[in-house]
Amino acid sequence: MHTTRLYIDGAFAPPVAGGSFPAIDPASEQPFAHVAAGQAEDIDRAVRAARRAFDAGVWSGLTGAQRGAFLRKVAEGLRTRLAEIAAIEVRDNGKPLPEAEWDVGDAAFTFDYYAGLAEAEDSRADEEVDVGDARFRASITREPLGVVGAITPWNYPLLMAVWKVAPALAAGCTIVLKPSELCSLSCETLAEIIHDAGIPAGVFNLVTGTGPEAGQPLADHPLCDKLAFTGSVATGRKVMMAAASGIRTVALELGGKSPFLVFADCDVEKAVEWILFGIFWNKGEVCSATSRVLVERSLYPRLLARLKEAAEAIAIGSGDAPGVKLGPIVSKGQYDKILAAIASGRASGARLVSGGERPEGVAQGYFLQPTIFADVPVDAGIWREEIFGPVVCVNPFDTEEQALALANDSAYGLAAAVMSDDLDRCERVARKLRAGIVWVNCSQPTFAQLPWGGFKTSGIGRELGRAGYDAYFETKQITRFDPSEVWGWYLPGPA
């Protein structure tokens, strides 16, 4: 079986201490590769390499056009190896092959997009500011932030890494990437592509390993200027505490329990399609999954019946099997957490409409039927807490005001969706939903050109779009005094 390598200072190598752990195929529950188990010493080597590269200016000192040319080579490398990477992600994560292919294509586009922003940076002029005193000339400029420590999740192993790597590199930063130990293999391929593109040594570094042995040392490292994390709220708190101890910039993209408001005037088939997409895409392992569906009461019985019928028709199986729309849960640990949430939902008094069990005739693999709960108590854990699996909760509402109150009654605020043929109502509701991302008459479409991030405990900062690029810069003022003038506060002017 293949054993992955670390990529530090332009070279591939095993961890200093050696060691690895198995990568498990969630469809078969069998190991298929070994993942290099990086530890604190490897993190230290990687961060110091990134620090040297940044301070030497081998990357930040290039023009934006030069950096953009390198990023476009990476994008082309991803496209060239798309089928290979997609197959890796199917086996590592369990997602259906068409979804994995879509993810790799999106990753390539993201590199191209940020290459364009890097190229445009060369024509960006400093902002001149009139400070009201003719003796002073002031300007505002910006420069790359420095060394970035990035910790990324397992649900989109390559794509979530690229969301951090591409804008950081475009801005001129150097980076150390620590992907989730559950799904690390495609990030090794990304390192190979970056290496082949000729990006200078130390600019991009990859250290795989567990959270305690590699993630925490990266978060704690004093030479990191910024920590960028995507994952759970609990781990995000730890990353934020580490950033606070060193007074460093932090960006957190955390969990969600996103609402989907469906009004009675919309087409049932369209509503069901987007509800399915909003919760069963990527097996529900999506931070923005619209897992709380609120349906206007007059539509509620009919929509539930059609949703049950459509969910039960979804093809379940190994992600590489033709026609499969729901692959296995990523790991046994996650599988057990979802089953516990379903048991909690049953105990809460919610009505189990469909699913909640292993599919019939499936003896191995972390497979789970798409699961629908209805009439869910609003204080139940399945209504309030992120499950991160193919489980949706559906409740009725009577008025627009009630729907908004239920939607916004959450500790999270990542995403939300509204569906209605009344576009004025859609716009009105969208403005009142307390979320960083709002979809109208759809759910989950994501574009690299638009900012991504949430309110409340869903995180701090934004990824993607220009905001995701600007987040990797520091702002600097330069104030100049006219040398022909005399200040003369403490010392007299020239005789």
Side-chain angles (χ1 to χ4, degrees), residues 319-336:
D320 55 6
V324 163
K325 295 290 178 69
L326 192 71
I329 303 304
V330 69
S331 69
K332 185 178 188 307
Q334 184 62 20
Y335 188 65
D336 289 344

Side-chain angles (χ1 to χ4, degrees), residues 393-449:
C393 298
V394 190
N395 271 338
F397 69 85
D398 294 301
T399 66
E400 180 179 312
E401 292 73 21
Q402 182 192 23
L404 280 165
L406 288 167
N408 289 332
D409 181 21
S410 173
Y412 300 102
L414 181 55
V418 54
M419 195 159 201
S420 172
D421 285 349
D422 183 341
L423 298 185
D424 288 337
R425 172 161 55 195
C426 286
E427 290 299 317
R428 183 173 64 246
V429 169
R431 302 284 179 177
K432 293 179 180 179
L433 286 165
R434 292 284 296 161
I437 303 147
V438 179
W439 294 293
V440 173
N441 287 325
C442 58
S443 178
Q444 306 307 312
T446 304
F447 302 96
Q449 304 95 322

Side-chain angles (χ1 to χ4, degrees), residues 168-492:
L169 295 185
C173 297
T174 58
I175 191 166
V176 177
L177 171 64
K178 206 298 283 186
S180 168
E181 57 266 38
L182 293 181
C183 296
S184 300
L185 274 71
S186 58
C187 287
E188 184 192 34
T189 309
L190 174 63
E192 293 171 357
I193 292 169
I194 287 174
H195 181 82
D196 292 344
I199 289 177
V203 171
F204 170 84
N205 305 271
L206 171 70
V207 179
T208 55
T210 67
E213 293 183 339
Q216 192 65 52
L218 180 57
D220 290 336
H221 205 290
L223 296 184
C224 282
D225 298 301
K226 174 173 181 167
L227 300 176
F229 172 79
T230 297
S232 70
V233 172
T235 305
R237 287 193 181 98
K238 294 180 181 178
V239 172
M240 193 170 184
M241 289 172 67
S245 68
I247 316 299
R248 288 169 290 165
T249 301
V250 63
L252 304 174
E253 202 274 271
L254 307 177
K257 192 69 178 176
S258 302
F260 192 158
L261 283 61
V262 180
F263 287 88
D265 61 352
C266 69
D267 180 86
V268 171
E269 290 298 301
K270 292 178 181 178
V272 167
E273 169 67 23
W274 283 113
I275 292 168
L276 295 172
F277 196 85
I279 187 59
F280 299 134
W281 177 262
N282 202 44
K283 308 162 287 173
E285 297 169 352
V286 182
C287 56
S288 60
T290 37
S291 55
R292 290 187 296 139
V293 177
L294 292 154
V295 184
E296 193 165 4
R297 194 173 298 275
S298 62
L299 183 63
Y300 186 63
R302 187 157 59 102
L303 183 139
L304 265 180
R306 183 68 183 102
L307 185 62
K308 170 182 166 65
E309 179 184 36
E312 291 175 351
I314 293 174
I316 306 171
S318 178
D320 55 6
V324 163
K325 295 290 178 69
L326 192 71
I329 303 304
V330 69
S331 69
K332 185 178 188 307
Q334 184 62 20
Y335 188 65
D336 289 344
K337 288 178 184 177
I338 296 169
L339 291 177
I342 291 171
S344 170
R346 292 175 184 266
S348 75
R351 174 164 58 99
L352 181 64
V353 174
S354 183
E357 305 285 349
R358 175 184 285 274
E360 290 184 12
V362 178
Q364 65 179 11
Y366 308 125
F367 293 99
L368 180 66
Q369 296 168 334
T371 301
I372 304 167
F373 279 100
D375 307 326
V376 183
V378 295
D379 60 351
I382 59 167
W383 182 259
R384 306 202 70 82
E385 295 303 323
E386 185 175 45
I387 297 173
F388 222 66
V391 181
V392 64
C393 298
V394 190
N395 271 338
F397 69 85
D398 294 301
T399 66
E400 180 179 312
E401 292 73 21
Q402 182 192 23
L404 280 165
L406 288 167
N408 289 332
D409 181 21
S410 173
Y412 300 102
L414 181 55
V418 54
M419 195 159 201
S420 172
D421 285 349
D422 183 341
L423 298 185
D424 288 337
R425 172 161 55 195
C426 286
E427 290 299 317
R428 183 173 64 246
V429 169
R431 302 284 179 177
K432 293 179 180 179
L433 286 165
R434 292 284 296 161
I437 303 147
V438 179
W439 294 293
V440 173
N441 287 325
C442 58
S443 178
Q444 306 307 312
T446 304
F447 302 96
Q449 304 95 322
L450 298 175
W452 181 275
F455 297 178
K456 299 185 273 188
T457 60
S458 287
I460 296 172
R462 292 295 181 270
E463 295 190 300
L464 296 184
R466 179 166 288 278
Y469 175 64
D470 291 342
Y472 289 96
F473 286 91
E474 288 280 21
T475 300
K476 175 185 285 185
Q477 63 140 305
I478 302 177
T479 300
R480 309 160 183 88
F481 186 67
D482 187 338
S484 67
E485 296 285 347
V486 175
W487 184 240
W489 185 266
Y490 291 105
L491 301 175

